[in-house]
């Protein structure tokens, strides 16, 4: 539309007689097109920001939380491995205490792993549900943008219909000699 609006603003054949009306009607239509496009772009940006932008912000926070949870779980794996190595190297006098530490760490790792699996499943289920809602919200926003564009074009049509044209008389139709 911008290209068309720019072309319509080009002056044709001076500013006298019917060329003046031609240039004014092109200018009026160009202004209508630019206003329509501006409204459409503003509505589209607002729609996208309120749907996709919000979703991406939430998604980022959820991914950070999941990553932190998995990082803590990885730390527990390392602690269990270190406890296993220490038990293998331990002298019989310290073996019982180290075995208890290793078992406690394994139990904690097992609990954390179960919780992590449940949380990860819940997270992905929630993510899919939110993605679905976001897509619906986005589509509804695009429908509103289309409706707003339709309304703006309809208003432009009314303005163009109301644009007065010069009256034609029999004298103005005869050729000058």
């Amino acid at each position: 539309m911008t290209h068309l609006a720019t072309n319509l603003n080009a002056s044709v054949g001076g500013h006298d007689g019917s060329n003046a009306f031609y240039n004014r009607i092109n200018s009026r239509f160009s202004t209508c097109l630019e206003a329509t496009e501006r409204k459409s772009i503003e509505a589209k940006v607002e729609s996208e920001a309120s749907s996709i932008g919000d979703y991406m912000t939430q998604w980022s926070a959820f991914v950070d939380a999941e990553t932190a949870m998995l990082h803590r779980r990885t730390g527990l794996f390392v602690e269990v491995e270190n406890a296993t190595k220490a038990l293998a190297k331990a002298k019989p006098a310290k073996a019982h205490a180290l075995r208890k530490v290793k078992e406690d760490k394994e139990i904690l790792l097992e609990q954390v792993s179960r919780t992590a699996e449940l949380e990860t499943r819940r997270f992905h289920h929630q993510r899919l549900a939110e993605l679905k809602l976001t897509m619906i919200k986005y589509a509804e926003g695009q429908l509103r943008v289309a409706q707003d564009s339709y309304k703006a074009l309809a208003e432009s049509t009314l303005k163009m219909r109301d644009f007065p044209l010069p009256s034609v008389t029999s004298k103005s139709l005869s050729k000058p000699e």
Side-chain angles (χ1 to χ4, degrees), residues 17 45 70 78-79 98 118 130 133 138 155:
V45 166
L70 293 174
V78 171
E79 289 178 20
L98 289 175
L118 290 172
E130 288 173 354
L133 290 175
Y138 176 77
E155 289 172 4

Side-chain angles (χ1 to χ4, degrees), residues 1-14:
M1 266 198 270
T2 304
H3 185 65
L4 177 60
T6 302
N7 287 339
L8 287 170
N9 275 323
S11 179
V12 175

Side-chain angles (χ1 to χ4, degrees), residues 68-83:
M69 177 185 64
L70 293 174
H71 182 71
R72 288 189 301 272
R73 185 170 171 250
T74 301
L76 286 174
F77 270 118
V78 171
E79 289 178 20
V80 168
E81 187 177 313
N82 289 342

Side-chain angles (χ1 to χ4, degrees), residues 77-112:
F77 270 118
V78 171
E79 289 178 20
V80 168
E81 187 177 313
N82 289 342
T84 302
K85 288 178 185 177
L87 180 60
K89 294 179 184 178
K91 295 183 180 181
K94 292 188 175 184
H96 180 69
L98 289 175
R99 188 174 294 112
K100 176 71 173 139
V101 168
K102 179 185 175 246
E103 289 172 358
D104 289 346
K105 299 240 181 242
E106 286 175 338
I107 290 169
L108 182 59
L109 177 62
E110 173 95 18
Q111 290 171 343
V112 168

Side-chain angles (χ1 to χ4, degrees), residues 69 111-125:
M69 177 185 64
Q111 290 171 343
V112 168
S113 294
R114 271 195 307 264
T115 302
E117 181 181 358
L118 290 172
E119 288 296 315
T120 301
R121 284 183 187 187
R122 187 181 65 79
F123 164 72
H124 288 287
H125 181 269

Side-chain angles (χ1 to χ4, degrees), residues 41-59:
I41 288 171
E42 289 171 357
K44 184 175 182 177
V45 166
E46 183 180 321
S47 169
E48 289 175 357
S50 69
S51 59
I52 303 295
D54 290 346
Y55 173 74
M56 294 307 288
T57 300
Q58 281 184 329
W59 169 250

